[in-house]
Amino acid sequence: MKKLTMVAAMVAGTLSLFGETDEIGMAVARTFAGKTAVISGAASGMGLCSSKTLAAAGANVFMCDINGDGVRKAADEINACGKGKAFAVEMDVRKFADCERSAALAIEKTGKIDLVINFAGGNEARCCSSYKPIYEQ
């Protein structure tokens, strides 16, 4: 099942390109229908694209981003389209409590988490000697 989910995630973009009438799009839609995804960095870029695609396939999408206004606007746009449900969660992936809160919300609303995707981050260069795992910060 893990391999199927990984493959389906790789081709999930076909749903938005070809729609559900395409054989691959239909298979992806069946794979993600009713699933729950938690996606960070979801207010823009690849996080937003993945959120739209998974919601179009019928998934419940918990869109997490530090940009609260942006993620709320994006979730509203997705919810206006039908199918899957989008939930906006303002959070900072660098804060463990925010991550726990986001996961708890997804479980509270849907009873499960099937998929976690991280697109949050930055391009700040750091020296390896100064790196501290998030759980130690």
Side-chain angles (χ1 to χ4, degrees), residues 72-105:
R72 282 186 287 278
K73 180 181 175 196
D76 289 344
E77 289 173 5
I78 289 172
N79 287 328
C81 295
K83 285 227 173 173
K85 177 89 173 126
F87 300 84
V89 183
E90 183 174 354
M91 58 94 70
D92 184 342
V93 296
R94 297 170 297 177
K95 296 180 180 174
F96 189 73
D98 282 6
C99 297
E100 285 184 314
R101 182 176 50 83
S102 300
L105 180 64

Side-chain angles (χ1 to χ4, degrees), residues 61-133:
V61 181
F62 286 79
M63 302 174 67
C64 304
D65 204 287
I66 199 166
N67 176 356
D69 291 337
V71 78
R72 282 186 287 278
K73 180 181 175 196
D76 289 344
E77 289 173 5
I78 289 172
N79 287 328
C81 295
K83 285 227 173 173
K85 177 89 173 126
F87 300 84
V89 183
E90 183 174 354
M91 58 94 70
D92 184 342
V93 296
R94 297 170 297 177
K95 296 180 180 174
F96 189 73
D98 282 6
C99 297
E100 285 184 314
R101 182 176 50 83
S102 300
L105 180 64
I107 292 168
E108 174 190 323
K109 298 286 186 185
T110 66
K112 62 183 179 171
I113 297 174
D114 299 298
L115 182 63
V116 177
I117 305 172
N118 177 41
F119 287 110
N123 57 1
E124 177 184 338
R126 294 186 202 181
C127 176
C128 293
S129 64
S130 67
Y131 173 76
K132 261 188 147 176

